[in-house]
Amino acid sequence: MNSPAHDDFGRDAVQPVSWPIADDSIRDVFAKMLSDGSWGRYHGPHCESLQTALADFHSVEHVMLCSSGTSAVELALRAAKVEPGDEVILAAYDYKANFANVLSLGATPVLVDTLPGLPILDPTQLPAAFSSKTRAIICSHLHGSFARIDEVASLARQRGIVVIEDACQTAGGTLNGRAAGSIGDIGVLSFGGSKLLTAGRGGAVLTNDAMLAQRIRLYTQRGNDAYPLSEMQAAVLLPQLQQLPHRTKLRLTNVQRLLQQLAPDSPLQAAIDPSPLQLGNSIPAFYKLAFRYTTRAGSKFDRESFCEELRTRNIPLDSAFPGLHRIHSQRRFRTAEDLPNADLLHENLITLHHPILLADALEIDKLAAVINATG
Ligand SMILES: *Cc1c(COP(=O)(O)O)cnc(C)c1O
């Protein structure tokens, strides 16, 4: 049992939770790598085992391991044959590197609005955004909400546009019985140091399309793998993949417990899409948990100082992503419509980082109590 934690002023604080988790399964992997030398070799059994395990887990045909989630998105764009002058549609609220990846291929990002209050692309914005140059759509599951990937895919398929499903924040999530990352034409995963499956760095591209897979292999294989994931990285990912279903469920249970206890007038209101939970056979994954922040009447806090205050109590809250249209010159992208929902997310969104979501119930109760008593 944890002893109660306090901040410098003796106030209640939650126990800090460190990441990554070095449990016995990870210790065993390191011990085995030391004895068999696989930690330092180009080739060994681990990458192949990981490829097979990821293919089984996601029920996909092809898994290409690579050096990061960012490079996985780049490879997906290359597989979609995105070339200079082409256009790629993404939500105006999305991971910054996705925008940069489109630019790096000489293509133009076309930014569309999100659903109201949710960090996911609004599919009804797509028809106005399509042009004869549209090659791909990047569709990201973010902060505990699933993207509306089926609606996006049905609009894209009619036009031969490739749907890239960014599941970097959603490893282990299930949407209507399908693993996140397996639903779009191509899915991407990240194994970065903060992610739900972590190896410090690393990523993967998933697809059932043999041609897309072949293009990625041709691009990365230059007699040597130009975007490699190492044996050492693969080895530490394997046990985490086995633990992932259990941890995904525990995080969801704790999110539900936390949200039930937040005061109705809390400055934080959950910004997650409840509809997958009503669908059945769906389990959202929480790399971040999103909230809309509203300043309480008479409060001394704004969004940033509210997060700072709670971080002193070991509660990892941060302002979320900036809107891509708010931080890039308008010369870099195109829009078809206004972006009022993404503007609000830019101004109000806060995220809670995931390690605390594996804590025990008492810590979650304390987390809710400290949030309720602040602001
Ligand atoms: C982390 C992340 C990435 C990129 O992953 P890296 O492995 O850090 O390059 C891409 N998309 C989203 C939504 C992410 O959260």
Side-chain angles (χ1 to χ4, degrees):
M1 182 52 60
N2 294 330
S3 59
H6 298 282
D7 73 357
D8 295 345
F9 306 100
R11 299 173 303 183
D12 263 359
V14 299
Q15 291 284 348
V17 182
S18 65
W19 189 265
I21 299 171
D23 62 13
D24 287 346
S25 69
I26 300 293
R27 277 175 233 279
D28 290 349
V29 164
F30 277 105
K32 190 151 178 293
M33 278 195 290
L34 274 174
S35 63
D36 70 11
S38 61
W39 61 274
R41 299 221 167 92
Y42 285 109
H43 300 290
H46 305 305
C47 282
E48 241 183 81
S49 303
L50 181 64
Q51 265 176 320
T52 308
L54 287 171
D56 289 349
F57 189 94
H58 295 89
S59 303
V60 293
E61 292 275 319
H62 308 280
V63 174
M64 280 71 62
L65 303 176
C66 63
S67 49
S68 68
T70 302
S71 64
V73 172
E74 182 205 330
L75 294 173
L77 290 166
R78 290 192 183 279
K81 286 195 158 168
V82 172
E83 285 173 2
D86 288 343
E87 291 184 343
V88 176
I89 299 174
L90 68 164
Y93 182 93
D94 198 357
Y95 190 63
K96 223 167 114 180
N98 290 352
F99 184 96
N101 257 325
V102 175
L103 287 181
S104 77
L105 292 181
T108 302
V110 177
L111 300 181
V112 298
D113 210 3
T114 64
L115 288 167
L118 293 176
I120 47 174
L121 187 152
D122 177 355
T124 67
Q125 301 289 315
L126 288 175
F130 288 135
S131 81
S132 58
K133 299 178 192 164
T134 312
R135 235 6 106 240
I137 302 171
I138 300 175
C139 207
S140 302
H141 307 296
L142 288 179
H143 317 335
S145 290
F146 285 112
R148 299 282 165 88
I149 193 112
D150 291 311
E151 289 164 63
V152 170
S154 73
L155 289 164
R157 278 195 191 122
Q158 301 159 18
R159 295 171 175 80
I161 295 167
V162 174
V163 176
I164 298 169
E165 180 189 3
D166 181 339
C168 291
Q169 296 205 354
T170 324
T174 306
L175 179 60
N176 219 353
R178 300 160 302 170
S182 72
I183 308 164
D185 297 308
I186 314 184
V188 298
L189 299 176
S190 165
F191 308 131
S194 65
K195 298 295 159 94
L196 299 175
L197 291 172
T198 187
R201 294 283 175 178
V205 189
L206 317 174
T207 186
N208 283 313
D209 185 318
M211 187 140 72
L212 295 174
Q214 186 58 8
R215 282 197 202 121
I216 290 172
R217 291 190 193 105
L218 282 172
Y219 184 78
T220 54
Q221 288 305 324
R222 301 173 194 173
N224 189 10
D225 187 349
Y227 290 66
L229 184 95
S230 71
E231 276 293 299
M232 189 158 52
Q233 289 167 295
V236 297
L237 287 165
L238 280 160
Q240 293 177 63
L241 192 59
Q242 287 187 352
Q243 290 156 335
L244 189 57
H246 163 71
R247 287 183 179 167
T248 305
K249 282 189 200 118
L250 179 56
R251 281 187 281 257
L252 173 60
T253 303
N254 278 335
V255 165
Q256 288 169 325
R257 189 176 180 100
L258 170 65
L259 297 184
Q260 272 162 15
Q261 293 182 69
L262 280 190
D265 69 337
S266 168
L268 297 185
Q269 297 299 324
I272 55 174
D273 184 2
S275 51
L277 287 169
Q278 288 141 21
L279 260 181
N281 214 358
S282 296
I283 304 175
F286 292 93
Y287 165 69
K288 304 273 182 187
L289 168 59
F291 298 96
R292 288 183 291 280
Y293 176 80
T294 342
T295 304
R296 260 189 195 146
S299 168
K300 62 179 174 173
F301 295 115
D302 61 10
R303 174 174 66 159
E304 200 47 59
S305 56
F306 179 81
C307 292
E308 259 169 48
E309 170 70 15
L310 285 165
R311 286 198 299 267
T312 67
R313 317 285 196 88
N314 301 326
I315 299 177
L317 285 172
D318 287 285
S319 292
F321 296 161
L324 295 170
H325 61 304
R326 300 286 287 263
I327 55 166
H328 292 105
S329 155
Q330 288 189 18
R331 283 178 294 120
R332 299 243 174 250
F333 61 87
R334 185 172 79 74
T335 56
E337 311 267 5
D338 290 344
L339 305 166
N341 296 330
D343 274 326
L344 284 174
L345 298 178
H346 172 90
E347 285 153 22
N348 300 332
L349 213 65
I350 284 181
T351 53
L352 176 72
H353 193 47
H354 68 86
I356 202 165
L357 298 175
L358 293 179
D360 61 34
L362 284 178
E363 284 298 304
I364 299 298
D365 296 351
K366 199 192 283 174
L367 172 63
V370 174
I371 292 174
N372 284 336
T374 307

